[in-house]
Amino acid sequence: MNKVLKHLKNELSSLNISYDKLDYLAGDASNRKYFEVSKDKMVNILMLDSSGEKNIINFINKTVFFQKLGINVPEIYKSYPENGILILENFGKNKFSEIIVKKNEEKLYKIAIDSLLFLHKKGASQELDSFDKYTLFQEVKLFFKWYLLFRGKKVKDKQIQIFKKSFLKFLDEPMKLPIVNIHRDFHVDNLFYLEKRLGIKKCGWIDYQDALKGTIVYDLMSLVEDARRDINESMKKKLISYYLSKTKNINQEHFIFSLKIIAIQRHLKVLGIFARLHIRDKKSSYLLHIPRVVQMLRSNLESPVFKSLRKIINPLIE
């Protein structure tokens, strides 16, 4: 971290950006790192992305995109794409993951769902690429490449092809539901509670740079089957029912079935990502969440209709 701070201070000096204080705040699974930068009692967020100018420009474009739709994302005060630096609005110390407890979880989750409902009513934009079933399956490959390497297990190519053929058919189901703009990593670590704002603006979004257009169940599933936090079954059902009560012309049985399919997809992907972070990137803190993800994957695979998938996957996660 000392090297990163030294590099950042040199960059800020070259850009003639003065500050009173610079504190490391957080990193994430990508190359992004976040700092609090203070100047004249104003504390903003500095985002440093070492992966190149293209990613900074993408972040700016997605920010403008969601702002135009009315979603509460941080204002960008200053941007230096060539240096991988953005100065952003500070949403404060009220990240969902840091303030959520049993007493307020239903309230906070419903605030998050209200912002999803608002977004979903906007439909799908031509500005975003499609999160189609083939892209979804490409993500599943992370499980077979990295999680099996992490566990020291092997699977025959023939088994993977059988799984692919079966799972692609299942993925047709969520694609029959409305296609909408999706955050794509919608969970409590990427949401802020902004009490003084009105309506859906009470929910602030971050880390939306990978947004695509895809099935309406994706972000809701990410929220109620969170790799980082346990949600009991009754609360999960209550939240899904809340979403459906405010959504018209959707077959509820088909919606819930599709949600399970997307849950299987995402949990497989996440297991692959967490294993890759550990093996390739030396970021091992995510291993803590693997047992929870495995349990959620098992639970979704229990439905009799998923017997063909369960036969291949269960031995690999035992």
Side-chain angles (χ1 to χ4, degrees), residues 139-140 142-148 150-151 227 264-279 286-287 289-298 313 316-317:
E139 293 186 338
V140 170
L142 294 170
F143 170 83
F144 292 106
K145 180 176 181 179
W146 291 101
Y147 186 73
L148 297 193
F150 168 64
R151 292 293 307 275
I264 293 168
Q265 184 275 341
R266 184 169 170 88
H267 296 327
L268 288 169
K269 170 185 113 170
V270 167
L271 288 174
I273 289 174
F274 287 175
R276 183 177 67 185
L277 285 166
H278 169 65
I279 296 168
Y286 296 91
L287 297 182
H289 305 302
I290 281 182
R292 178 182 297 109
V293 180
V294 168
Q295 180 54 43
M296 291 189 294
L297 176 57
R298 284 184 186 280
I313 298 299
L316 301 176
I317 57 175

Side-chain angles (χ1 to χ4, degrees), residues 15-39:
L15 293 167
N16 293 317
I17 297 175
S18 62
Y19 55 90
D20 299 324
K21 195 175 180 184
L22 183 66
D23 294 313
Y24 177 70
L25 186 62
D28 61 20
S30 71
N31 291 316
R32 290 183 299 276
K33 291 180 174 60
Y34 296 89
F35 301 80
E36 284 188 337
V37 56
S38 306
K39 175 69 175 176

